[in-house]
Amino acid sequence: LGSMSRAAARAAVRDQYKFFTATEEEAFSVFGRAEVKGINRIRAVTDVHCLIAFLVVVVIMLWLDAQARLFGNVLRLSEPLDFQGRLCGYDKEVEDLPLGYYPNPYSDMVICVKACPKTSNDGNFTLPDGPMGKDYVRPAYPTDKVYGQLCLPIDLHLAKSIVATKSLQTEVYKALGLVFTAQSVVLVVLMVPLITSCIFIIGLLYMPTAAASLAFSTTAVVLALVAMIMDLDYDVLKSIPLYHETHPFMLVAQPYFRNMCLGGSVIFLGFLLMSINAMARAHRVFEECLAAIINKNVLITVFASLCVSVVRICFILHVCESAALLMSIINPVEVRLEVFGEWHHVQRVSWSPLFLKGILFYAFGTFWILEFMGFCNKYVTSQILCHTYFSLKAKNTRGEEIRHGQQNPLWYALSSLFRYHLGSVAFAALLAAPCRLIRFLMGFFVPDRPNLQNSLNQQYRIAYYLFYPLIQLDLHVLRFFKDSVWVMLPLKGYKYMDAARRVEGLLNRCRGKIPNLTKFTSRIDSFLKLSVGLSAVFWTFFLFREPRHGRYHEVQHLDAKEAAKGLFVTPEHSPLLAVPAMFAFGLWVGNGMLHLVGMASESLTICYCIDVEMAGGTETDALYVPASLKDCYKDLGGGESERELSELIANDATGI
């Protein structure tokens, strides 16, 4: 009888959660009343292998930094190099020869000269491009300094063939170098998303609907304005002599950038119109989340997030400087050329293939480090929010609870993070973004429902077998890379995947009963982050599109004052190829502050769900819930959860 009653009890539990829990473990991992007190107990170090891998990547990046400063010279990105790799007017052997000249206009081999030859009497020039690779002497021909520090033929068609960019790598290097070496302007650009995100945080506290509407409408308008200016610039740039030959990829990419801006404008405007009702429902939730953040015990998270954002900006400036130096490293290579009908190998220089791979690795490391900073920030924020929600006391060495002298939540968050959980942070920083992207794309084809194979809905069953590999990947990996993990991990101190499974089970058990606050805030919050990231794109485009005014021995660069003056000047340059990188940097900087909204909604939801489970599953008996949060849930009324449950029942989704 005992075994039958136990089986009946398990069956009852499975039936209770049948629509949402994906595994039996999720259905039975219910929180006990004493569990949450474990937040202040001694923890174990988690995911050490990921921390070791992360440190290896950091060490390699430091080595690349050293190599960049030892062998790099950003002048190579804008000034001429002779065929031996010497920088005209800079390296010792050619320091008094500042200009580049092509003795053979049908070859790209350059020599350094003091002045541009005007007639054939201005000397003879030798190149190692004769028969059998021997030196070959040629007389001078008429040239003029019409492009940068290069002496080009008077014949325009011949000049075009000489300066034509034949390598995508070269054009991208020079485009990124122009932006990355203007450190003061990059700083101004990165300060924009930081300041904008702070303004949005304040706006969401007092006027959430107005703040979100203003953000989306202005983003839509500015995207359309940028697209229009791109078209105007395109006509101007095409008319500049030699511009088409020196910037072919940029001119090809311009229509795609313009279309993306127009498409983004339509998307933001459409989202604004479609989300007006959602904003009205989310108004109360945003107020509650921001009120939790400005609580006197939690307000420190705002300053911690601000500090992390500043560190991110400093790191990005360092990355820009190092990347420009890495791109400028050259190596000697042997080039196979046809000379007088015979093929020969000629010694030349080109961009280093080793450091091309190094740049790609440096970009990967930059991504990992910036994500690492972001997840550290999320850990600290959620730790302090959970600490405040449950008002937990510290424990002495004998495990006895101290009723007075509550621990400083920031100090405990930082100490527990650095002593125990950096490995878990490194693990999530590496995999969260790609997993979320894959899951987002899957959402267009696979319903967000567990146990599709048991559904009576024929379409769901077909989707299960059709996308079986993706569904299994989601079941065992993808669904665990959510921000909700950063609430469970500080609470319980598990390894990352253990914390992810526990919190996923908790939220799935509560679906259909307790509204998840992130359902009201997540989409609006995501579009706000995009809006802030795009602000970096706008200012990159406007500040870097005016004429360059570089002098010799200086990379053609801007300072902030000059960039501001050039806003209304006819452009001679377009920074489009650098825009994707600046967009990514803007997203990271803006997310440093805006993550507070998402983590507040995640933390309040999960803490409330735990609170309800500890009270035996009755919402009215929650032990720790603040009065304002209880009123918020009362205002929501559970309608969203009941609607979600009724939709599942209507679609004949059955459980485990």
Side-chain angles (χ1 to χ4, degrees), residues 37-38 40-41 393-402 407:
K37 294 182 181 179
N40 282 353
R41 292 180 181 166
K393 310 297 182 182
K395 291 194 173 186
N396 60 24
T397 55
R398 293 172 294 178
E400 298 171 342
E401 189 174 39
I402 302 173
Q407 276 190 321

Side-chain angles (χ1 to χ4, degrees), residues 165-183:
T165 300
K166 302 175 179 64
S167 165
L168 173 62
Q169 180 183 357
T170 298
E171 185 177 356
V172 172
Y173 274 13
K174 292 186 176 183
L176 292 176
L178 276 172
V179 174
F180 287 175
T181 52
Q183 295 275 293

